[in-house]
Amino acid sequence: MTASAKLTSLEAMRGIASIIVMFHHFCLAFLPSVKEPFPVGLAETPFAWLMRGESAVTFFFVLSGFVLALKFYKRPNYKALATSTLKRLPRLMGPAAISIGLGFLILFFRLNYNGDAASITGSDWLKTFGNAHLPSGFTPTAESAIGQSLLVFLLPDHFGYNSNLWTMRFEYYGSLLVFLLCALAMRVSPVTQLILTIVSAYLFWVYGHAFLPFAAGAYLALLFAWSGPRAIGNIWIAALIGLASVFLLCSLDQDLQVAGSIGLMISLLYCPKLARPLSGRLGRLLGRFSFPLYLVHFLVIASASSFGFTTLYTWSGSYACAVTVAGVVTVFVSLAAATPLLLFDQKWVAAINSITATLSRNAATMYRTYCSRSKGSTETQKAQARSHPGLL
């Protein structure tokens, strides 16, 4: 398999992780008992990974570290690294701002029925708009929505209009740390890279444990760049690694989640037979929908799904029927809302790349012009000095 096909399988896993986060939030909202230990719920069972949103978010972070670092370990380029660093914030900010605007409209026009649904389901998470930390008597304003669009990546507790965006601050700062690791490790000897890896891993473990998933993904990218196109020939060994990794992802311990994420990615990267089912058209589609689906599904749960659940439960008195309707609404409305956001994201990324390329070319032209003028001025001064020795 080509490298792009292997990465497609990882992007497909990102899409599956988004679906797991959606199911995790659906359970928190309408089936809170599913989060309880067995026999009441699925917690502490081999099926816990199906609704373990925390593990899915950790996988997002590890995969981000891997994807961001891989191209710079394979083709070291400080100019491209600086460009990626500068455009990382606007790349993330565009789609996130759209979701914040959607959350503002839902709250402003009082289309959120999460409070009514929570009074039936008993979900504190749903009642508080997904732990959004909205103050008492909160009034949605366009100014606060714009402020959150700018600050959600930089400061904590600026995700009131879309509580899913609590991860964005970690995503952005984690990306910067990955780029820093790449800058330190590019174009140095393998021994120096190994020393930097060990030292930085210790520093992350002790002082920046929250960002360890990003560093772990960057370390896996370095390993993958070192190893080249090697493969695990026995699919059963790769499947066993993947299965063990899934069990690790059932845990609430972040270290075990990181280990499970790394193991799952290794099984897909180094076993073409295992990765092939996720490397086709469906895998690419899952990868493309992962970010938009992650951004919009909670807003759908707090509005359309809660409305459908409350309406049917009031009409029929059947909790099972109400949950079923809420599930159908969550899936289809989330996909419908994610589709225009996906199209916007594609245009947004293309625009960011185009603007960045134009600015980069202009900066390079200005630099060459400056160097040419400086060189010409120096040559003129030397010529004058030779013509008039007494000036020296």
Side-chain angles (χ1 to χ4, degrees):
M1 295 179 65
T2 63
S4 60
K6 293 179 180 179
L7 294 182
T8 297
S9 67
L10 295 184
E11 290 298 322
M13 285 303 305
R14 193 199 298 270
I16 293 173
S18 290
I19 295 173
I20 290 174
V21 172
M22 181 173 67
F23 183 58
H24 161 72
H25 287 152
F26 181 84
C27 290
L28 285 176
F30 305 109
L31 295 171
S33 60
V34 175
K35 308 290 288 186
E36 299 293 327
F38 184 82
V40 178
L42 293 178
E44 301 176 4
T45 71
F47 302 101
W49 63 274
L50 289 171
M51 49 82 183
R52 188 68 76 205
E54 303 89 345
S55 295
V57 170
T58 299
F59 180 81
F60 287 149
F61 291 164
V62 175
L63 183 56
S64 289
F66 176 84
V67 172
L68 291 172
L70 182 61
K71 62 179 180 180
F72 297 114
Y73 287 138
K74 283 190 170 183
R75 292 180 296 275
N77 187 321
Y78 287 107
K79 179 183 175 182
L81 180 62
T83 301
S84 294
T85 303
L86 291 175
K87 70 181 182 181
R88 185 60 176 166
L89 181 58
R91 185 268 174 270
L92 294 171
M93 186 177 290
I98 295 294
S99 74
I100 289 174
L102 180 59
F104 163 73
L105 293 176
I106 289 173
L107 291 175
F108 184 81
F109 290 104
R110 298 182 180 180
L111 299 175
N112 57 305
Y113 298 90
N114 56 294
D116 297 335
S119 65
I120 301 171
T121 67
S123 170
D124 291 334
W125 178 85
L126 185 60
K127 181 180 179 180
T128 58
F129 204 62
N131 291 334
H133 305 304
L134 296 175
S136 178
F138 172 78
T139 300
T141 63
E143 293 79 4
S144 62
I146 293 172
Q148 287 195 12
S149 298
L150 299 174
L151 297 177
V152 67
F153 296 93
L154 306 175
L155 299 176
D157 299 330
H158 280 74
F159 46 80
Y161 290 105
N162 186 357
S163 61
N164 268 6
L165 299 183
W166 71 267
T167 61
M168 291 296 101
R169 183 169 60 97
F170 293 95
E171 177 70 33
Y172 177 59
Y173 287 125
S175 301
L176 297 185
L177 288 172
V178 169
F179 292 144
L180 177 60
L181 289 175
C182 291
L184 294 174
M186 286 193 313
R187 296 182 179 177
V188 297
S189 67
V191 174
T192 304
Q193 286 182 337
L194 180 60
I195 294 174
L196 288 172
T197 299
I198 295 173
V199 172
S200 60
Y202 172 78
L203 293 176
F204 276 113
W205 183 271
V206 176
Y207 299 106
H209 203 261
F211 295 99
L212 184 62
F214 296 95
Y219 302 147
L220 179 60
L222 182 60
L223 174 65
F224 188 64
W226 276 352
S227 64
R230 300 178 184 273
I232 301 175
N234 193 323
I235 189 174
W236 296 108
I237 295 177
L240 183 62
I241 295 173
L243 183 62
S245 301
V246 169
F247 279 111
L248 292 176
L249 288 170
C250 291
S251 172
L252 284 172
D253 184 89
Q254 188 192 49
D255 297 334
L256 295 180
Q257 293 172 3
V258 171
S261 300
I262 291 293
L264 188 59
M265 291 171 63
I266 286 176
S267 65
L268 293 174
L269 284 170
Y270 290 97
C271 184
K273 293 180 180 178
L274 198 63
R276 189 168 289 115
L278 296 173
S279 302
R281 183 177 300 176
L282 177 60
R284 290 191 293 272
L285 190 63
L286 284 170
R288 290 172 59 195
F289 266 96
S290 60
F291 192 35
L293 184 63
Y294 178 82
L295 291 177
V296 303
H297 76 266
F298 164 70
L299 299 175
V300 172
I301 288 174
S303 57
S305 301
S306 293
F307 175 77
F309 173 86
T310 305
T311 301
L312 193 64
Y313 183 79
T314 302
W315 174 71
S316 68
S318 172
Y319 197 93
C321 290
V323 168
T324 301
V325 168
V328 172
V329 170
T330 299
V331 172
F332 285 98
V333 177
S334 293
L335 289 174
T339 299
L341 188 58
L342 168 64
L343 299 176
F344 168 81
D345 188 42
Q346 292 176 336
K347 298 291 185 180
W348 179 257
V349 171
I352 292 295
N353 290 336
S354 176
I355 293 172
T356 304
T358 301
L359 293 176
S360 179
R361 287 195 300 268
N362 291 340
T365 301
M366 292 174 62
Y367 178 75
R368 287 193 297 267
T369 302
Y370 171 79
C371 291
S372 177
R373 289 178 178 176
S374 298
K375 183 179 179 180
S377 177
T378 302
E379 294 295 333
T380 301
Q381 291 175 1
K382 290 181 179 180
Q384 291 176 350
R386 287 193 295 268
S387 300
H388 306 282
L391 296 177
L392 295 178

